[in-house]
Amino acid sequence: MTYDAIVLAGGAAQRLGGADKPGLLVGGRPLLDRVLDACADARTTVVVGGRRPTPRPVRWTREDPPGGGPLAALDAGLRQTTAARVLVLSADLPFLDRETVRTLLDAPGGDGAMLRDPDGRDQPLVAAYRAEPLRREIALLATEHGSVTGLPLRALTAELDLTPVTAAAPLASFDCDTWDDLAAARARIREHGTVLEQWITAAKNELGIDVAVDTKTLLDLARDAAHGVARPAAPLTTFLVGYAAARAEAAGADPAEAVAVASRKAADLALRWAAETAGSADAPSAVAPSADAPAADTPPADAGTGETGSG
């Protein structure tokens, strides 16, 4: 489904002492970058807030006057979009994922779909709206009140037919409004069950790559290289696998298959290396002479004695 995305990143962050909330780090990445990753397939992404470096191109705008509240910011962002479907997100959602975004976009409903958090609260800044009724209701509110500056979002959502959606990921709606929220997010992202997935996602974004990572295969390879060769061989081997896979992809191979093939070859080499070092169970320790071969110190029957014959 074609859609545009609007990310609201210009709030005052009063409960954070006025800190630059979109730039705060969770798992080594700014909150804004994490949200932008969740809507990476948007046709146009508009960020309402102050300009800053981002991992992909976005369109920047501000509400007029700045600080006019989320409804005014939404109005400013909406003016920069053209798609019939608009995804609206706040910039402080460290655990928002692409699956949740797709669920919102695919949900049936009159005017759109809005995420409902595990406590039963609706989240109008994690929602997918039909653009036409959104523009219509904002225009009506502006006519009624003179402008939308300072108006709450509920003044808008109360007039729309929105379907509540519960995300598969329970933390998709978790936002960072306070320092305690930020600390909780940083702790959760390092939990044992998810830390590798979070790290791989962060590293891929940092490196500008998007390839499926077979974590088990690579960890098994690193284990075999570390145990069968030497511990430093583990990171060096996985680097070489990545390089080989990149060359194969450049030659036209499927990226995931290229990684799998390179991993398999390197793992087989590590196992052969280990078997050679330990001594293979099915290989004899020395080469025994065959039963009909003469002993090494016995001359052949027709060999001379080394003396000169008389004729």
Side-chain angles (χ1 to χ4, degrees):
M1 178 184 296
T2 300
Y3 72 99
D4 290 340
I6 302 171
V7 181
L8 306 189
Q14 293 179 353
R15 286 186 281 176
L16 287 166
D20 176 25
K21 183 160 66 168
L24 294 175
L25 301 181
V26 173
R29 298 170 63 204
L31 286 169
L32 175 59
D33 290 3
R34 288 184 164 275
V35 173
L36 292 176
D37 180 60
C39 58
D41 59 345
R43 185 179 66 181
T44 299
T45 300
V46 182
V47 180
V48 186
R51 289 177 177 266
R52 68 189 68 234
T54 54
R56 62 181 178 86
V58 300
R59 185 176 297 176
W60 297 94
T61 191
R62 289 300 300 264
E63 70 274 24
D64 186 19
L71 186 51
L74 173 56
D75 181 33
L78 192 60
R79 295 174 187 272
Q80 303 295 319
T81 67
T82 57
R85 197 83 163 176
V86 179
L87 180 74
V88 177
L89 304 170
S90 60
D92 61 348
L93 302 164
F95 303 109
L96 182 67
D97 59 354
R98 298 183 186 185
E99 181 181 353
T100 299
V101 166
R102 184 51 51 189
T103 299
L104 289 168
L105 291 167
D106 291 343
D111 296 329
M114 181 166 48
L115 190 65
R116 178 166 289 172
D117 70 20
D119 295 325
R121 295 172 297 194
D122 291 333
Q123 303 293 325
L125 293 183
V126 193
Y129 298 91
R130 287 180 51 226
E132 187 276 326
L134 199 61
R135 289 191 172 93
R136 181 191 68 233
E137 293 303 329
I138 289 177
L140 289 172
L141 287 170
T143 300
E144 181 181 353
H145 296 274
S147 84
V148 293
T149 298
L151 294 182
L153 272 175
R154 64 177 176 272
L156 171 67
T157 56
E159 303 300 325
L160 296 172
D161 176 20
L162 300 172
T163 300
V165 169
T166 301
L171 293 178
S173 59
F174 184 95
D175 56 3
C176 294
D177 287 331
T178 68
W179 292 114
D180 286 344
D181 292 338
L182 188 69
R186 288 172 171 172
R188 285 179 179 274
I189 214 163
R190 288 169 172 76
E191 289 178 350
H192 176 71
T194 59
V195 64
L196 286 181
E197 178 185 350
Q198 292 287 349
W199 167 251
I200 289 169
T201 300
K204 288 195 295 184
N205 279 273
E206 191 73 14
L207 299 173
I209 58 176
D210 187 11
V211 60
V213 178
D214 187 340
T215 305
K216 183 181 183 304
T217 295
L218 290 176
L219 289 178
D220 288 347
L221 168 61
R223 178 203 61 208
D224 292 341
H227 293 174
V229 184
R231 289 186 67 183
L236 297 174
T237 304
T238 52
F239 164 77
L240 293 172
V241 164
Y243 184 80
R247 290 190 62 184
E249 180 186 3
D254 173 74
E257 180 63 21
V259 171
V261 169
S263 298
R264 190 161 54 246
K265 288 181 177 179
D268 288 345
L269 174 62
L271 293 175
R272 294 199 306 271
W273 185 293
E276 179 181 318
T277 303
S280 178
D282 59 352
S285 57
V287 178
S290 61
D292 56 353
D297 57 353
T298 302
D302 58 348
T305 62
E307 297 177 356
T308 303
S310 59

